[in-house]
Amino acid sequence: MLGGRAAAVLAVLCGAIFLEGIDVAMLNVALPSIRTDLGMSTGALSWVLSAYVLGYGGFMLLGGRTADLLGRRRMFLFWLTVFVLFSGLGGLATDGWVLILARFVTGLSAAFMTPAGLSIITTAFPEGPQRNRALLVYAGTAAAGFSLGLVVGGLLTAVSWRWVFFAPVLLAGALLAAAVPLIPRDTAPEQAGGGRFDLAGAATATGAMLLLVYGVVRIGEPGAAAELTAAVLAGGLALLAAFVAIERRSSSPLVRLGILRSGPLLRANLGAVLFAGSFFGFQFTATLYLQDLRGWSPLQTGLALLAIGVDSVLAPTLTPKLVERFGNARVILGGFLLAALSYGLFLPVGADWTYPMMFPTMLLTGLAFALAYGPLTIAATEGVAEEEQGLAGGLLNTSFQFGAALGLSVVTTVNLAALGSGASTLEGFRAALVVPVASAVLGAVVAATGAGRRRA
């Protein structure tokens, strides 16, 4: 059990990841009201979501290493303050471009705040059962934020969509007041990388992530020029190659390339890409099915998806026992297999399905999340030196964000391709649902290699 100051610190950091989840989820259900009030086009409205993903995914790797070099506490407190300011700006926006700018900077702040918070946990708790329990509580809180955000967003939007932005300001302000006295000061950051900052590595890594995430976002945009999308992705890959070349020669690299030789870390990050892609691809497709085809309100949709939030209960209670008994790798494999089963059960969805017919998928999805998300976090940070915990957290969160963007883009592309070939709306949703099933199956294959090595 966690007690005293350690529990209070964990509560603050869990509050921050809950804030991130609820912030994203609430906005999803508020988009139609925002479009009507601000007179935004559908293309501009999509950038309210894409700008956040671009800021988050583009700067996450830099944010993780910055926490190691400049201090985890300092980065967490500073960027939580930025989050407060720009979330408030989003609520005050009267023009679409102001809202898009606010969402980009909010995503940027989360890119620095999230890996800093995760690395505070992994350095504050000793590796083993105590850290595992802390990380699983953290993962369950993140899932709760996303699940509850769908419902809370529907309720707040009924009053005014602006409260979707103002409510996180109140929560973040309370967290900031509690974090200042509770979060311990860092040891000397000069221990990580000699205290020098790799500017060339930072520039190329951030540029590469921005272009790659932007290219992936463009894949799912209707009418996006394929030539420009290919050019953006090629530019991202070129900068990534330049980044690797710079890091090989740097005496104080932003990313020590040797960390990427860790098999468990690579499997965890690849698993994170596939799991996030399958989960967010399914959630997006299911939301469109419920609202566009079935005509459900945002609040009804949020309540339908609320069963996925069972993860917030199972992650800190059931998952630690399973990890202790069967090992981390096997629990991750079980999560992927359950995810594949869950999404597969939704493949024959009909135009008149009742909620009891959907409920098994919602419940199994929550259970799969409980088994995979937290253990992936453990696997990605286990055995990593303390001075590189921020980097490990940044890599993991970059993988989750990139996977989410990729999953959304691919299901959108498949759906539009099916509709373009003459398929009905329902058939288009069924075609899109194949993507999360395939992603979960591929993730199970990756996880099985880790489970097999552990048995050996």
Side-chain angles (χ1 to χ4, degrees):
M1 294 296 291
L2 307 175
R5 187 183 182 90
V9 171
L10 180 60
V12 169
L13 298 173
C14 285
I17 197 67
F18 177 84
L19 172 69
E20 179 201 328
I22 201 171
D23 174 74
V24 173
M26 288 194 303
L27 182 62
N28 284 339
V29 297
L31 288 175
S33 299
I34 292 173
R35 175 171 55 189
T36 300
D37 194 24
L38 298 185
M40 300 177 70
S41 66
T42 301
L45 188 70
S46 69
W47 271 103
V48 176
L49 293 177
S50 298
Y52 183 91
V53 173
L54 194 63
Y56 201 157
F59 288 87
M60 179 66 75
L61 186 59
L62 176 61
R65 192 56 177 150
T66 301
D68 291 329
L69 294 171
L70 302 182
R72 301 176 182 102
R73 181 181 186 273
R74 181 187 304 169
M75 289 294 98
F76 181 82
L77 295 178
F78 175 79
W79 289 104
L80 181 57
T81 303
V82 175
F83 188 99
V84 171
L85 296 175
F86 279 85
S87 187
L89 176 63
L92 297 172
T94 56
D95 291 301
W97 71 267
V98 176
L99 185 58
I100 292 171
L101 173 65
R103 291 307 293 170
F104 176 79
V105 180
T106 302
L108 171 66
S109 64
F112 284 83
M113 181 177 69
T114 302
L118 178 59
S119 61
I120 289 172
I121 293 177
T122 55
T123 54
F125 297 94
E127 189 170 297
Q130 191 177 24
R131 182 192 290 181
N132 290 352
R133 181 169 292 277
L135 289 174
L136 292 170
V137 170
Y138 185 76
T141 307
F146 190 82
S147 301
L148 293 175
L150 295 170
V151 180
V152 174
L155 293 172
L156 292 177
T157 303
V159 179
S160 171
W161 64 264
R162 297 184 185 277
W163 275 103
V164 168
F165 294 90
F166 293 147
V169 169
L170 299 176
L171 176 57
L175 289 172
L176 187 60
V180 172
L182 283 174
I183 295 181
R185 297 189 179 277
D186 301 290
T187 55
E190 288 78 14
Q191 294 175 357
R196 291 192 293 171
F197 199 75
D198 179 13
L199 290 177
T204 50
T206 302
M209 290 299 102
L210 283 170
L211 288 178
L212 289 173
V213 173
Y214 176 53
V216 167
V217 169
R218 282 184 57 87
I219 291 174
E221 286 186 356
E227 296 81 3
L228 179 57
T229 300
V232 169
L233 290 172
L237 291 174
L239 281 178
L240 190 60
F243 167 72
V244 171
I246 290 169
E247 298 307 276
R248 283 178 173 169
R249 296 195 302 266
S250 175
S251 58
S252 300
L254 181 75
V255 176
R256 182 180 63 84
L257 296 180
I259 196 174
L260 301 178
R261 298 192 187 103
S262 167
L265 183 142
L266 287 176
R267 283 193 296 273
N269 280 275
L270 180 56
V273 170
L274 294 169
F275 190 78
S278 65
F279 176 80
F280 285 98
F282 168 75
Q283 187 269 335
F284 179 71
T285 306
T287 299
L288 289 180
Y289 162 75
L290 292 173
Q291 293 195 20
D292 290 356
L293 185 66
R294 303 298 299 274
W296 290 23
S297 69
L299 180 57
Q300 288 174 312
T301 302
L303 289 171
L305 298 173
L306 185 60
I308 297 175
V310 70
D311 168 66
S312 60
V313 177
L314 297 178
T317 55
L318 175 64
T319 308
K321 297 177 182 177
L322 295 176
V323 169
E324 290 174 12
R325 180 169 181 180
F326 299 106
N328 207 42
R330 294 184 188 181
V331 175
I332 293 172
L333 173 59
F336 273 108
L337 291 174
L338 273 179
L341 172 63
S342 173
Y343 306 143
L345 290 175
F346 213 77
L347 277 176
V349 63
D352 56 352
W353 266 26
T354 61
Y355 185 67
M357 299 172 74
M358 309 176 204
F359 183 73
T361 290
M362 306 304 175
L363 189 62
L364 288 174
T365 299
L367 180 56
F369 206 105
L371 295 184
Y373 182 66
L376 281 170
T377 305
I378 296 170
T381 56
E382 197 170 35
V384 177
E386 181 173 332
E387 63 270 17
E388 292 184 322
Q389 283 292 330
L391 170 61
L395 286 169
L396 178 67
N397 284 289
T398 298
S399 297
F400 273 121
Q401 287 300 311
F402 191 80
L406 186 61
L408 291 172
S409 293
V410 175
V411 296
T412 301
T413 301
V414 171
N415 178 256
L416 292 175
L419 295 176
S421 65
S424 66
T425 302
L426 181 59
E427 290 170 338
F429 289 142
R430 287 173 178 165
L433 286 168
V434 173
V435 175
V437 174
S439 182
V441 170
L442 185 56
V445 173
V446 173
T449 62
R453 288 173 183 271
R454 177 65 59 88
R455 284 194 296 272

